[in-house]
Amino acid sequence: MRPVPPALGPLLLGSVLAAASHPAVATRLGGGSAQHPLATGRLVALALNHLVLAATGLAIVAVLGIGLGLIATRPRFAAFRPGIDSLAALAQAVPPVVVVALALPVLGFGGPPTLLALVAYGIMPTLRGTVGALDAVTAEARESAQALGLTPAQILASIELPLAAAGLVDTLRTALVLAVSVAAVGALAGASTLGTPIVAGLQNQNIVAMLQGALATASLAFLGDAVLLALGARLRRA
Amino acid sequence: MTARLLAGLAAAALLPALLALLPVLHLAPNRLVTGAPVMASDALGAWLWPVVALAALGPALLVAGRGRASATLAGLACLTALALLLLGLGTGAAELIADKPPATRARLASGAWIGLIILAGVSALAAGRTRLPGAGFTAAAALAAVVAGLWRIGSLDALSLAVELRIRSDSLGAALRAHLALTFGALGLAACITGGLALCRRGRGAVDLAVSGVQVVPAVALLGGLVAAISALLAAAPALRGYGISALGSGPALLGIAAYLLLPLWRGQEAARRATGPDKVDAARALGLTAGQILTTIRLPLGAPLLVGGLRVAVVQALGLATLGALVGAGGLGTLVFDGMAQFAPDLILLGALPIIVLALAAEGALGSLEAALRRRWPR
C-alpha cells in the first residue's frame, strides 16, 4: 500500500471550504434567506486579488528572507547571529494589523500598506527558518565536500541547498500562511481581498457574505499549504 | 582595527545624517491632514547640537569600543540623547503652535520616530553588551522613567499624540482594560483546554494535527467564521439568547484568540513532557520518590523553561490578536486603531498601536528573561 501523500489533507479541506463558500451552499449554512450572498464572479475576483497580493508579498519575503538567511549563515557573518534571533523575536511582537494601521497614513489606502506589513512581518521568521534549515546540514557533509576540493559556492549549490531544501519549504509554508493571513487583514486598509466581505459583513450584518469570505480565505490558505507540501514531498523524493 | 574604526565612524554618522535629511515634525492645521515638514534645525533649537553629539557618540562607542565601560557609556549617551531629543521636540512643538489656531497639531515625523527607535534599540543593545545582571531591565526602566518624567513636567504637552491622549484618556483606559481582559481570558481558556488535552493519554497525534491546522486559518477569517457560526446557531435556536450568548462581542473573540494560542501552549507542554526522559523517572522511582515528588523535583524543573517558552509565544500572540477583537465588537485597543483608520487620523492609530507594541515587547522581554533564568537555575 502506498503511503498517503501529506498534501492530501489540506487539499481536501481546502476544496471542501471552497465549495462551502459557493453562494448557494453558504446561504444554506448561514441559515437565513433574507441575506445577500456574494455572486461567484465577485468572489473569484476577490480571491484572485487576494492571491496576487499574497503571492507578491511571498515572493518579496522569500527572496529577502532566504537571501539574508544565506548571508547570515556564511562563517564571515557569524557574529550577527544572536542579533538576528533577538531582532526576529522583536519583529514578531508587532502584530500585522498594527503594521497595516501604522503604514496607512504614510502609504495611503489599498495594497501598499498591506504589502509593507506582509514584508515587515514575514521577513524575520523566513530569515530565521532559513538559518535553521541551513544549520541542520551536518558539519560532516560540509567538511567532506571541502575535502573533495569544492569551492564555497559549489558547496552551497550542491550540498547545503539540496540538504536544506525540505526545511526551506517548511519555512516557505509558514511565510505563505502569514501572507494569506495578512492579505486578509489588509481589507481593513481598503485592499480588496477576501477579507473585504468579512469586514463589510461585520459592519452591515451580512452574515452570509462574511461566511463566504471566511471560508474562501481559509480555503486559499489550505490550498496554498497543500501546494507547498506537495512540492516539499517531491523535493524529499528527488 | 581600521575596520572597527571605520564601522564606528559610519555608526556615528547615521543619526546626524538622519536628522539632517528627514523632517522631525509635521505642522498641520488640524488633526486629519499631514501638514508641512519641519526639519531638526528649526524644531530643536538649542537642543540640536547636544542631541547630535550624543546621538553620534553612543552608536559609535557601541560599534567601535569593546568591554563593559564603553558599552555602559554608549547606553548612557543614547538614553541622554533620547531624553534631550524628546525634550527638544516637545519645546520646539510648543513654540511652533504657540501663535497658531487651537486646532493646529505638531506631529512627530519620520526622522523623529526613526531616531527615537534607533536610540532606544542601541540602548538595549548596549545594556546587553554590558553583561551585567538586570542591565536590560534597568535600561527599560530608565527609558520609561525618562518618558514619564518628561510627560509629568509637561514638556510633551504640545505634541499631537499628547493632545489626542488627553482627549481620549478615559476611552484609552477602558480599551486597555478590555485588551488585557481579552488577552488573559483567552490565555486562561487556552491553558485550560491544553491542560485537559494533556491529561488524555491517547490521540496526541490528532491533537497536534488539529492545533497546527488552526494556525493555517487566517485570524480575520476565523473571527468572521465564528461570528457567522454563532449567528446561525442563534437563528436555529433563539432560546440560547436567554443565556447571554450573542454573535458579537467578547465571546467569539475569546474563542478565536484561544484557538491560536493552543499551538504554542501545546507544543510547550509536549516539549516539557518529553524533557524528562524515562531513565530519569525510573531512577527517581528506584530511589523511592512518590509520583508527587517526581513531579515537583524532576518533571517541573526540567520542563519549566520549555513551558515558559510556550507561554511567552502565546502571550505575545494573544496581545496582538486581541487587536482584532475590536472587529467583532469585543473592545480593546483595536477600537482606537480601527477608529483612527476610519478617520484617517494618524495620532489616534498611534494611540492604540503604541500600547500594544509596548505591552508585547514587555511580555516578550519579561518572559524571555524568566525562561533564561530558569535555564540557568536548572541546567539540563
Side-chain angles (χ1 to χ4, degrees):
Chain A
M1 197 177 103
R2 288 176 56 191
V4 182
L8 196 62
L11 184 68
L12 283 179
L13 201 51
S15 313
V16 169
L17 288 170
S21 70
H22 187 273
V25 186
T27 312
R28 184 148 303 175
L29 284 178
S33 53
Q35 309 271 350
H36 308 283
L38 287 180
T40 322
R42 169 90 175 123
L43 202 63
V44 169
L46 286 174
L48 278 180
N49 241 336
H50 196 119
L51 202 60
V52 168
L53 197 60
T56 315
L58 183 65
I60 302 176
V61 162
V63 168
L64 286 179
I66 295 183
L68 288 173
L70 287 181
I71 295 175
T73 42
R74 299 308 97 195
R76 197 184 301 173
F77 295 97
F80 292 102
R81 297 287 291 283
I84 288 176
D85 276 355
S86 41
L87 204 62
L90 291 186
Q92 288 307 98
V94 185
V97 50
V98 169
V99 184
V100 172
L102 290 179
L104 185 67
V106 186
L107 296 176
F109 280 107
T114 314
L115 212 52
L116 179 84
L118 221 160
V119 173
Y121 199 66
I123 199 158
M124 287 320 281
T126 314
L127 171 53
R128 211 183 201 181
T130 308
V131 169
L134 284 169
D135 274 353
V137 176
T138 57
E140 286 89 5
R142 274 200 199 98
E143 279 157 15
S144 39
Q146 234 164 8
L148 285 174
L150 268 62
T151 64
Q154 284 172 329
I155 296 180
L156 179 66
S158 57
I159 308 287
E160 287 184 293
L161 283 183
L163 284 179
L168 288 179
V169 171
D170 277 345
T171 305
L172 284 182
R173 279 177 59 204
T174 318
L176 173 103
V177 167
L178 276 178
V180 173
S181 162
V182 177
V185 168
L188 289 167
S192 103
T193 65
L194 286 173
T196 311
I198 305 177
V199 174
L202 280 167
Q203 274 156 5
N204 50 31
Q205 297 291 310
N206 190 352
I207 302 292
V208 172
M210 200 162 78
L211 193 62
Q212 281 179 296
L215 290 170
T217 316
S219 147
L220 205 59
F222 278 114
L223 290 178
D225 204 33
V227 168
L228 284 181
L229 269 174
L231 182 71
R234 163 158 285 195
L235 279 176
R236 236 165 281 215
R237 263 208 312 276
Chain B
M1 189 63 215
T2 349
R4 195 167 265 268
L5 212 60
L6 279 178
L9 278 178
L14 177 67
L15 280 169
L18 192 83
L19 289 178
L21 293 176
L22 292 178
V24 290
L25 288 175
H26 274 141
L27 193 63
N30 62 55
R31 66 191 274 267
L32 299 182
V33 295
T34 311
V38 182
M39 301 305 285
S41 49
D42 302 322
L44 295 179
W47 298 109
L48 178 66
W49 293 112
V51 168
V52 167
L54 285 169
L57 180 69
L61 266 180
L62 187 74
V63 172
R66 51 182 92 194
R68 272 183 190 170
S70 71
T72 315
L73 270 181
L76 286 177
C78 284
L79 278 178
T80 322
L82 199 146
L84 290 182
L85 180 58
L86 271 177
L87 184 60
L89 288 169
T91 342
E95 279 164 16
L96 283 170
I97 62 168
D99 48 355
K100 298 279 192 326
T104 310
R105 295 290 188 106
R107 184 174 298 130
L108 293 179
S110 53
W113 283 117
I114 301 176
L116 291 171
I117 292 171
I118 292 182
L119 283 172
V122 176
S123 318
L125 279 181
R129 186 77 74 79
T130 58
R131 299 191 190 286
L132 295 171
F137 179 75
T138 318
L143 192 64
V146 162
V147 177
L150 287 173
W151 171 258
R152 186 51 68 83
I153 59 172
S155 12
L156 303 179
D157 284 358
L159 292 174
S160 180
L161 193 58
V163 178
E164 199 78 28
L165 174 58
R166 277 202 299 278
I167 300 172
R168 303 239 170 197
S169 56
D170 291 343
S171 55
L172 180 67
L176 194 62
R177 278 192 294 279
H179 200 89
L180 290 176
L182 266 183
T183 303
F184 289 106
L187 204 62
L189 184 61
C192 289
I193 298 174
T194 314
L197 288 173
L199 291 180
C200 302
R201 299 225 165 260
R202 301 173 63 174
R204 285 183 191 275
V207 172
D208 211 65
L209 212 61
V211 294
S212 353
V214 172
Q215 301 286 319
V216 177
V217 183
V220 175
L222 185 64
L223 285 176
L226 276 173
V227 172
I230 300 178
S231 320
L233 187 69
L234 287 178
L240 286 175
R241 281 183 208 278
Y243 297 100
I245 295 179
S246 70
L248 287 174
S250 44
L254 278 176
L255 281 180
I257 299 168
Y260 289 103
L261 306 185
L262 288 176
L263 180 74
L265 290 177
W266 172 258
R267 289 268 162 94
Q269 176 273 129
E270 281 287 272
R273 203 174 54 85
R274 274 198 294 269
T276 325
D279 48 336
K280 295 197 180 74
V281 179
D282 284 346
R285 224 173 259 148
L287 286 173
L289 268 65
T290 63
Q293 282 172 325
I294 292 178
L295 182 69
T296 51
T297 57
I298 298 183
R299 283 190 183 274
L300 274 181
L302 282 175
L306 298 159
L307 277 180
V308 174
L311 187 67
R312 173 178 60 94
V313 176
V315 173
V316 171
Q317 278 195 2
L319 284 166
L321 285 168
T323 316
L324 288 176
L327 263 188
V328 295
L333 290 164
T335 1
L336 299 179
V337 175
F338 295 144
D339 279 357
M341 284 168 93
Q343 301 172 10
F344 215 68
D347 298 309
L348 190 52
I349 299 178
L350 274 172
L351 198 62
L354 282 179
I356 301 172
I357 298 176
V358 169
L359 281 174
L361 287 180
E364 167 78 32
L367 288 173
S369 46
L370 177 63
E371 195 184 336
L374 285 172
R375 272 185 215 286
R376 276 198 302 276
R377 172 78 177 72
W378 288 294
R380 300 245 251 119

